[in-house]
Amino acid sequence: MTPNDPRPLVRVVAGIVLNENGDYLLSSRPEGKPYAGYWEFAGGKVEAGESEFAALQREFAEELGIRIHRATPWLTKIHAYEHAHVHLRFLRVAAHEWSGELQAKEGQQWSWQKAGDFTVSPMLPANGPLLKALSVPTVLTGRLKTAVCGENRMGEYRVVPYHLAEPHHRRLLIDAAEWGGKPLPQAESIWLLIRSPEEWPQVQDADVVVWQVADPQTAEAVAARLAQGVSLPLVVAAPPPLLAQYRSRWLAAGAHAVLADEETEAV
């Protein structure tokens, strides 16, 4: 519950469903519902006694006629609408994790959209920041000291350390400890690097957080943070030994991506 909104939180789930081309499924809200005609990631309210996954399965069957077989936690948001104060849990569903033929069972529209080039509007207010987050690749390579690279449906995606950045670089990696809380520079995307749980609350203005892990204690802290839910994409960078041990656990808990950080030695 946020200090400025005393209403109880309504638990809601939404599905980030992908197809084989890597596009995302969006649907419009039907007539008779708040924000009718607005586009969103489909989902709905979690009923009493229902798990988030069960609610996701039910909502997609009722609204779009497809079956969700598996889903992975991603981001958690709290948003105050005029009609409700909602706790939104977004779950990712890969192309092989659902089946069936899409149907507009509530008279809504649906569309497959490319991350970084969404063409439908208007979007539901709480979902706006997600569009930017979805353009961040889930497979990353490179080094934190030079550049982190990936690829999305729009092409190459490259993040450069701030001190190496040139005017044409649009995505910047900044060490939160070195930056010291100063106003963030203007850029298409700001990635903030942290190393401890204490830094997490201080970097919520970032577009992406990179958590550099050097020991099992910090690795467990990352897992605990993910279990509580994260409101922005979290990339975990760890040396290969720790990555081999924790990779599956972090990803299953909602890490956006993991990065092999060979320059940090495991303790």
Side-chain angles (χ1 to χ4, degrees):
M1 187 180 298
T2 55
N4 59 349
D5 195 326
R7 294 175 295 175
L9 284 172
V10 177
R11 293 174 61 215
V12 174
V13 291
I16 310 293
V17 175
L18 291 89
N19 64 12
E20 293 181 351
N21 295 322
D23 298 326
Y24 295 92
L25 179 64
L26 291 173
S27 62
S28 63
R29 291 178 64 82
E31 293 298 326
K33 288 188 176 182
Y35 288 93
Y38 278 68
W39 289 81
E40 65 176 354
F41 297 98
K45 182 180 176 181
V46 180
E47 302 294 347
E50 191 176 40
S51 70
E52 291 176 338
F53 180 61
L56 190 75
Q57 289 180 304
R58 175 180 52 77
E59 289 287 348
F60 270 82
E62 293 174 354
E63 295 179 12
L64 292 164
I66 64 174
R67 295 179 294 279
I68 304 296
H69 306 297
R70 187 175 181 275
T72 302
W74 185 44
L75 301 186
T76 300
K77 302 274 189 179
I78 294 177
H79 192 83
Y81 288 103
E82 293 86 349
H83 64 285
H85 190 204
V86 299
H87 177 281
L88 280 161
R89 172 82 81 171
F90 294 90
L91 296 99
R92 297 177 70 102
V93 181
H96 65 278
E97 294 176 336
W98 64 274
S99 62
E101 295 294 329
L102 285 166
Q103 307 166 51
K105 300 185 75 171
E106 295 184 344
Q108 75 275 53
Q109 301 179 68
W110 54 268
S111 176
W112 291 106
Q113 295 282 302
K114 185 185 300 184
D117 188 29
F118 289 93
T119 60
V120 295
S121 65
M123 282 291 298
L124 203 63
N127 290 350
L130 297 177
L131 307 184
K132 189 173 185 178
L134 287 173
S135 68
V136 178
T138 56
V139 177
L140 298 170
T141 59
R143 297 183 176 184
L144 297 177
K145 290 185 177 180
T146 53
V148 176
C149 303
E151 187 173 341
N152 62 17
R153 290 276 283 134
M154 300 299 291
E156 182 186 22
Y157 191 105
R158 184 180 179 88
V159 185
V160 178
Y162 180 75
H163 69 279
L164 297 178
E166 299 179 3
H168 66 277
H169 290 129
R170 300 175 295 156
R171 306 177 186 103
L172 306 177
L173 173 65
I174 296 173
D175 189 315
E178 294 179 2
W179 195 252
K182 299 191 294 274
L184 295 173
Q186 294 295 316
E188 178 183 303
S189 186
I190 296 293
W191 294 36
L192 286 180
L193 175 67
I194 66 173
R195 299 176 182 83
S196 71
E198 291 73 25
E199 292 178 284
W200 175 258
Q202 304 168 19
V203 294
Q204 299 307 296
D205 290 337
D207 296 302
V208 178
V209 173
V210 180
W211 197 327
Q212 190 176 30
V213 176
D215 55 71
Q217 181 179 357
T218 308
E220 291 291 343
V222 171
R225 177 68 264 174
L226 288 166
Q228 294 175 42
V230 295
S231 60
L232 67 169
L234 176 58
V235 174
V236 188
L242 279 175
L243 194 60
Q245 183 178 353
Y246 284 92
R247 176 191 181 96
S248 297
R249 184 175 167 190
W250 287 332
L251 291 174
H256 187 89
V258 295
L259 175 68
D261 181 23
E262 299 183 4
E263 293 166 348
T264 299
E265 294 184 3
V267 178

